């Protein structure tokens, strides 16, 4: 049955049975921001919508086709795919309901490995659980962003999807700590029995459920939790430090990426990572002793490589990580070196975002222990000074991405030291910092691999500084590598610089003015 020629682009060609249905690749020429159809994006006014689109460029990819998919059309597609369906991507399909997804059950689509139902608000928990139960043993990637799922859906995934590697539950507001199984020390007689679980709000992992899971105390249990590698919980407002402790105990040996941005997590979450790792038998070690592959075989150390916590709800703490802070409350002191030795493979750390509690001492100890850092995010941290930038420049020369924007006490001195020592930088955001043209001259002479340079609302830079960054003193600069350049709302930069940049940068570069 021929449904539409446009489907050729989102389904496996004209194969007899469709194995891939990827709705995100259905394009409209007017809304396709790919380099083929959009060589230059020049934002004249820096309006919020355009800036938001550009700031999320990497994660956005291509815009979906405008016309929404209907339940009847989904039934036609699934009928054509049947059990051969392995990848299903239905992003922003607000017209798809439970009735449409029932086609997956009706036509026996029990071999799905990649399931993406991003931002489908009409989907209910019951149909999600049924799909997971049918495809659990094959699922490796599940994306349920902004879908109405609760703790029971997460439990269903963990019990029925042993091969699950990537789980994105961002913007799922009903998720709580109870979505994840407690550690052995928590799973004692204090947990309710299955018969009593319904009487207690939000209880998901009762004693009978935990009996099925293989853990250090019960290695012979029939169910082994999946070796999750990526877990995204961005803007899950009920996720806090207790949830992070459970996550580390359950997936610490395999979890490489943890995203808890804009959640209820606090600074103590890092302490929870350390204490949970110790409780579960992980050992502290130096980063250079063994490779991650060696540690994965022995389970000796946390596999964590990327931790995103920006815009977390930082509490009024002092003495965190053994560093003196204001507003001291009762919190057992502990040190950053212990944390860095417990997570020696951490290469990406995001801690910024309206943070008034992180200090120079804190970042200095982190940088000293995490010398393999590739990405650092400490934007909008009001207590940080140039000493933080000097520490990063000294201990983390392998940095490839640095977001140090909106921190009021950073100056040209610290930025210059960071640029001169971290010559491999590909991403640099220095927005709202009072840097001068001298910094841009150093950028042009030093960063020959720079791909993104953001310097919005920098009051002291001029058009001459931008010329220095792009051409450098030798005529090379960053002009052959820059893919995105932003100098929006810089009062001393003329509009004519947009055309000048267009003539010198690569054809697919994006310029924001």
């Amino acid at each position: 049955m021929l449904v539409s020629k446009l489907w050729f682009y989102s389904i496996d060609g004209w194969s007899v049975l469709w194995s891939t249905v990827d709705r995100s690749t259905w394009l409209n020429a007017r809304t396709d921001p790919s380099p083929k159809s959009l060589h230059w994006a020049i934002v004249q006014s820096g309006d919020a919508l355009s800036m938001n689109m550009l700031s999320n460029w990497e994660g956005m990819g291509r815009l979906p086709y405008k016309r929404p998919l209907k339940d009847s059309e989904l039934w036609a597609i699934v009928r054509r795919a049947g059990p051969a369906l392995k990848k299903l991507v239905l992003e922003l399909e607000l017209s798809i309901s439970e009735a449409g997804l029932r086609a997956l059950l009706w036509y026996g689509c029990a071999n799905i490995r990649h399931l993406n139902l991003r931002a489908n608000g009409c989907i209910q928990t019951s149909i999600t659980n049924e799909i997971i139960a049918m495809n659990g043993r094959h699922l490796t990637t599940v994306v349920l962003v902004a879908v109405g799922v609760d703790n029971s859906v997460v439990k269903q995934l963990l019990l029925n999807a042993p091969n699950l590697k990537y789980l994105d539950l961002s913007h799922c507001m009903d998720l709580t700590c109870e979505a994840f199984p407690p550690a052995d020390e928590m799973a004692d007689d204090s947990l309710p029995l299955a018969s009593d679980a319904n009487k207690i709000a939000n209880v998901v992992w009762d004693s009978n459920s935990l009996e099925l899971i293989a853990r250090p105390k019960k290695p012979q249990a029939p169910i082994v939790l999946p070796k999750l590698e990526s877990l995204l919980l961005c803007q899950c407002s009920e996720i806090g430090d207790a949830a992070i402790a459970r996550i580390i105990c359950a997936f610490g040996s395999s979890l490489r990426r943890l995203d808890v941005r804009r959640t209820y997590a606090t600074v103590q979450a890092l302490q929870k990572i350390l204490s949970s790792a110790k409780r579960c038998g992980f050992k502290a070690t130096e980063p250079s002793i063994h490779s991650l592959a060696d540690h994965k075989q022995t389970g000796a150390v946390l596999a964590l490589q990327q931790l995103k916590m920006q815009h977390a709800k930082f509490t009024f703490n002092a003495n965190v990580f053994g560093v003196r802070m204001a507003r001291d409350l009762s919190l057992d002191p502990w040190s950053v070196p212990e944390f860095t030795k417990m997570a020696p493979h951490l290469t990406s750390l995001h801690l910024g975002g309206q943070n008034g509690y992180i200090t120079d001492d804190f970042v200095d100890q982190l940088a000293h222990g995490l010398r393999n850092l590739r990405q650092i995010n400490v934007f909008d941290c009001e207590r940080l000074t140039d000493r933080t930038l000097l520490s990063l420049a000294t201990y983390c020369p392998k940095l490839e991405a640095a977001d140090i924007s909106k921190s009021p006490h950073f100056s040209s001195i610290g930025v210059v030291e960071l640029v001169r020592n971290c010559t491999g930088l590909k991403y640099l955001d220095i927005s709202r910092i009072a840097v001068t043209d001298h910094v841009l001259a150093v950028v042009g002479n030093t960063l020959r691999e720079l791909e993104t340079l953001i310097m919005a609302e920098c009051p002291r830079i001029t058009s001459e500084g931008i010329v220095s960054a792009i051409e450098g003193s030798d005529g090379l600069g960053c002009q052959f590598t820059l893919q995105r350049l932003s100098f929006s709302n810089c009062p001393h930069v003329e509009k004519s610089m947009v055309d000048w940049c267009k003539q010198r940068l690569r054809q697919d570069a994006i310029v924001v003015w």
Side-chain angles (χ1 to χ4, degrees):
M1 177 181 64
L2 181 63
V3 184
S4 169
K5 290 183 179 179
L6 287 175
W7 292 0
F8 175 83
Y9 299 102
S10 61
I11 299 172
D12 267 357
W14 300 115
S15 57
V16 177
L17 292 176
W18 293 331
S19 62
T20 300
V21 176
D22 189 347
R23 177 70 166 164
S24 65
T25 61
W26 295 25
L27 301 177
N28 184 325
R30 291 172 297 176
T31 60
D32 178 13
S34 64
K36 293 182 180 179
S37 61
L38 181 62
H39 299 304
W40 287 90
I42 303 175
V43 182
Q44 301 289 350
S45 61
D47 61 281
L49 179 60
S50 299
M51 292 299 295
N52 183 62
M53 181 186 78
L54 292 172
S55 65
N56 293 282
W57 192 268
E58 294 181 358
M60 180 181 61
R62 296 183 175 185
L63 298 180
Y65 194 75
K66 282 187 174 181
R67 186 177 66 82
L69 196 67
K70 301 177 181 178
D71 285 341
S72 58
E73 294 168 332
L74 182 59
W75 273 79
I77 294 173
V78 172
R79 179 182 179 185
R80 185 67 173 78
L85 185 61
K86 295 181 180 179
K87 180 178 180 179
L88 178 63
V89 179
L90 298 174
E91 294 190 353
L92 296 169
E93 296 296 346
L94 302 180
S95 299
I96 296 297
S97 65
E98 179 177 349
L101 290 178
R102 288 216 167 268
L104 299 172
L105 307 177
W106 182 266
Y107 291 114
C109 300
N111 298 298
I112 299 176
R113 290 164 171 75
H114 184 119
L115 179 64
N116 184 340
L117 302 177
R118 183 189 301 268
N120 287 291
C122 299
I123 299 175
Q124 299 179 357
T125 298
S126 57
I127 186 64
T128 307
N129 279 330
E130 292 184 56
I131 295 173
I132 291 172
M134 175 179 282
N135 294 276
R137 67 184 184 277
H138 298 295
L139 286 172
T140 59
T141 299
V142 175
V143 179
L144 298 174
V145 176
V147 176
V149 301
D150 57 18
N151 295 338
S152 65
V153 174
V154 181
K155 176 184 177 182
Q156 184 84 342
L157 271 170
L158 299 183
L159 293 181
N160 293 280
N163 298 311
L164 189 64
K165 301 295 184 183
Y166 182 97
L167 180 58
D168 190 349
L169 299 170
S170 301
H171 299 268
C172 293
M173 303 302 179
D174 295 330
L175 295 183
T176 68
C177 166
E178 294 296 328
F180 305 98
D184 281 338
E185 286 73 8
M186 306 174 193
D188 52 22
D189 296 336
S190 62
L191 282 170
L193 299 175
S195 58
D196 300 328
N198 294 330
K199 301 178 182 179
I200 303 178
N202 296 324
V203 171
V204 176
W205 296 93
D206 53 61
S207 57
N208 288 1
S209 299
L210 292 173
E211 287 291 332
L212 302 174
I213 300 176
R215 292 175 295 160
K217 290 184 177 180
K218 299 176 181 177
Q220 304 302 323
I223 296 178
V224 178
L225 290 175
K227 299 294 183 181
L228 266 184
E229 295 180 358
S230 296
L231 179 58
L232 284 65
L233 299 168
C234 176
Q235 271 191 276
C236 294
S237 55
E238 298 299 320
I239 293 295
D241 298 342
I244 294 176
R246 293 188 178 201
I247 290 168
I248 293 300
C249 285
F251 312 110
S253 62
S254 60
L255 191 65
R256 299 188 181 191
R257 180 185 180 191
L258 178 60
D259 186 346
V260 288
R261 291 173 295 166
R262 297 182 183 273
T263 65
Y264 202 70
T266 68
V267 170
Q268 290 111 315
L270 298 181
Q271 182 181 6
K272 292 288 186 181
I273 292 175
L274 175 61
S275 58
S276 298
K278 288 182 176 180
R279 182 191 307 129
C280 297
F282 294 102
K283 299 178 182 178
T285 185
E286 297 293 340
S288 58
I289 293 180
H290 300 291
S291 67
L292 179 59
D294 296 333
H295 287 312
K296 286 186 69 176
Q297 293 178 359
T298 61
V301 72
L302 291 180
L304 196 61
Q305 295 181 358
Q306 183 183 92
L307 177 61
K308 292 186 176 183
M309 291 183 60
Q310 63 260 42
H311 287 291
K313 296 183 182 299
F314 288 85
T315 54
F316 299 103
N317 291 327
N319 243 359
V320 179
F321 302 102
V323 179
R324 182 74 179 172
M325 293 184 182
R327 301 185 181 96
D328 193 358
L329 295 181
S330 57
L331 179 67
D332 295 332
W334 61 290
S335 63
V336 172
E338 288 187 77
F339 172 77
T340 57
K341 289 180 180 180
M342 191 62 72
H345 304 291
L346 196 62
T347 59
S348 180
L349 185 60
H350 299 242
L351 292 172
Q354 299 177 343
N355 187 340
Y357 301 98
I358 289 182
T359 64
D360 290 330
D361 289 336
F362 168 76
V363 178
D364 181 72
Q365 292 184 46
L366 273 179
H368 187 274
L370 300 174
R371 303 200 178 198
N372 290 321
L373 270 182
R374 299 293 195 278
Q375 298 179 3
I376 187 68
N377 183 320
V378 287
F379 76 95
D380 202 5
C381 295
E382 64 184 42
R383 299 185 66 184
L384 296 184
T385 68
D386 282 339
R387 180 184 164 195
T388 285
L389 300 182
L390 295 176
S391 297
L392 293 173
T394 302
Y395 299 122
C396 305
K398 299 179 182 179
L399 278 177
E400 297 178 359
D403 186 348
I404 56 175
S405 60
K406 304 179 185 178
S407 295
H409 300 299
F410 289 162
S411 70
S412 295
I413 297 175
V415 177
V416 166
E417 287 301 314
L418 182 68
V419 170
R420 284 177 174 168
N421 286 274
C422 303
T423 57
L425 279 172
K426 297 179 180 179
Y427 178 99
L428 179 62
D429 189 345
I430 53 175
S431 300
R432 295 191 190 179
I433 298 179
V435 296
T436 63
D437 288 346
H438 173 60
V439 172
L440 300 185
V442 175
V443 168
N445 292 328
T446 308
L447 304 182
R448 297 305 166 86
E449 300 178 25
L450 190 63
E451 298 176 357
T452 300
L453 176 59
I454 305 175
M455 42 190 171
E457 301 183 44
C458 291
R460 301 177 65 183
I461 65 170
T462 66
S463 298
E464 289 75 14
I466 294 177
V467 172
S468 300
I470 292 179
E471 291 189 338
S473 59
D474 54 2
L476 296 177
C478 309
Q479 58 185 312
F480 300 110
T481 59
L482 266 182
Q483 299 177 19
R484 180 185 173 192
L485 175 64
S486 173
F487 45 86
S488 62
N489 298 320
C490 294
H492 300 296
V493 178
E494 294 82 8
K495 182 179 178 180
S496 59
M497 284 305 300
V498 173
D499 293 328
W500 185 88
C501 293
K502 180 177 180 180
Q503 295 173 2
R504 285 161 177 78
L505 297 182
R506 26 190 299 175
Q507 189 179 17
D508 60 346
I510 299 168
V511 179
V512 182
W513 176 74

